[in-house]
Amino acid sequence: MKREDTVKNRTFLADRRWVVPITIAAFIAASILISSFIKTADYSILCSLAKTRSTAVEKYSATPIQLQAIIHYATSQIVPQQNFQEISVTFDVLKKRSPCNFLVFGLGYDSLMWSALNPNGNTIFLEEDQKWVQTVLKDAPSLHAHAVKYRTQLKEANDLLNHYRSEPSCYPSKAYLRGNDKCRLALTGFPDEYYDTEWDLIMIDAPRGWFPEAPGRMAAIFSAAVMARNRKGSGVTHVFLHDVNRRVEKVFAEEFLCRKYLVKSVGRLWHFEIPPASNTSSPDSHQFC
């Protein structure tokens, strides 16, 4: 290969690294414009006064975290954990439900994006690594994140399934989270707002789950199912699980989130719509699915 061709190839590869971050920035900017246009149009129909239209535009202008996210992704070569097609699945739901209560397991390069796509909503991140939380919040102090501790290890996955099937406090009709020390899959010792908030969307993209001593996502999946079943408000709970190409994520999803509630599969992401237990035909069953 000629030296000129080598230089051109390297330049092409370098340029490609910018594609995803810039696309994400454009994605956020487009969502701001679409939201502003639609809601301003609604106000225009109701009231033709120029002052009212001006107020509507101001009300639905970009939030500070949206502007920060646009700048961040437009000037960064670091890409989010999920690809564009996977991100679009959650974005499609956020367009309909935002502002909403959005719980995200994990804190990473995509956190600013998730907050920006839920403007004026309540987006909370749960992260196992205290030092990583401090690192991220130093650059993005507007994010709402908590460092949490998990009681499980990935190597215990099979044992935890057997435990759930024999421990009454894990049964769907009796399961609860705060203070449920008997059920090893229940997430305990978390911040109060984790328990006190009724979550509309739950994203499970953490904790780590690729080596035996890692916490694994078993408890996060189980607890998401419990919260969704205990929902008191109207509608379903949207649960998004990433890395379903891995055995543990797939097995626990099928055990607790249920194939019958799976509405979309894109790449390594599964999207579930889980109704409250009060809307199901067998709320007293010992199995979730």
Side-chain angles (χ1 to χ4, degrees), residues 228-248:
R229 288 177 58 86
N230 291 341
R231 183 180 181 86
K232 299 297 188 294
S234 61
V236 299
T237 301
H238 296 268
V239 179
F240 306 89
L241 175 63
H242 198 225
D243 297 319
V244 294
N245 56 307
R246 302 194 301 215
R247 175 185 170 275
V248 169

Side-chain angles (χ1 to χ4, degrees), residues 130-274:
Q130 175 68 59
K131 291 183 179 179
W132 178 242
V133 172
Q134 294 173 351
T135 299
V136 173
L137 293 185
K138 182 182 293 185
D139 294 329
S142 58
L143 292 177
H144 192 171
H146 296 283
V148 295
K149 293 183 179 180
Y150 293 88
R151 299 189 290 163
T152 59
Q153 290 188 331
L154 184 65
K155 61 185 179 183
E156 303 170 334
N158 291 334
D159 181 51
L160 287 169
L161 274 180
N162 293 329
H163 163 75
Y164 137 72
R165 290 165 181 156
S166 60
E167 173 52 56
S169 64
C170 293
Y171 293 167
S173 59
K174 300 179 180 179
Y176 61 98
L177 300 180
R178 182 165 21 206
N180 189 356
D181 295 324
K182 289 185 178 181
C183 180
R184 291 162 56 195
L185 281 169
L187 292 176
T188 61
F190 276 39
D192 286 339
E193 63 182 327
Y194 167 74
Y195 304 106
D196 296 336
T197 305
E198 189 162 271
W199 302 103
D200 302 303
L201 278 73
I202 302 175
M203 171 70 71
I204 305 173
D205 207 356
R208 293 171 296 171
W210 63 86
F211 58 96
E213 291 74 26
R217 298 179 186 174
M218 301 83 66
I221 293 171
F222 171 85
S223 297
V226 171
M227 289 188 288
R229 288 177 58 86
N230 291 341
R231 183 180 181 86
K232 299 297 188 294
S234 61
V236 299
T237 301
H238 296 268
V239 179
F240 306 89
L241 175 63
H242 198 225
D243 297 319
V244 294
N245 56 307
R246 302 194 301 215
R247 175 185 170 275
V248 169
E249 277 80 355
K250 185 176 181 180
V251 168
F252 273 73
E254 292 177 337
E255 183 70 39
F256 299 111
L257 302 179
C258 309
R259 277 275 185 179
K260 62 184 177 182
Y261 299 137
L262 178 63
V263 295
K264 184 167 286 189
S265 174
V266 176
R268 295 180 293 146
L269 184 81
W270 279 357
H271 171 205
F272 298 85
E273 293 183 0
I274 304 177

Side-chain angles (χ1 to χ4, degrees), residues 13 46 51 79 109 125-126 143 147 238 241 250 269 282:
L13 292 175
L46 294 174
K51 182 177 180 181
V79 299
Y109 298 122
F125 302 90
L126 303 176
L143 292 177
H238 296 268
L241 175 63
K250 185 176 181 180
L269 184 81
S282 54

Side-chain angles (χ1 to χ4, degrees), residues 18-36:
W18 286 96
V19 172
V20 173
I22 291 176
T23 303
I24 295 298
F27 205 19
I28 297 169
S31 70
I32 296 170
L33 291 173
I34 292 170
S35 176
S36 298

Side-chain angles (χ1 to χ4, degrees), residues 66-100:
Q66 287 178 319
L67 297 176
Q68 182 183 1
I70 291 172
I71 295 171
H72 171 78
Y73 291 109
T75 58
S76 174
Q77 295 187 53
I78 300 175
V79 299
Q81 288 91 322
Q82 298 179 28
N83 63 39
F84 186 78
Q85 289 72 29
E86 293 168 340
I87 291 169
S88 297
V89 174
T90 308
F91 177 59
D92 287 342
V93 177
L94 283 170
K95 284 190 294 185
K96 300 174 183 177
R97 297 295 296 269
S98 181
C100 63

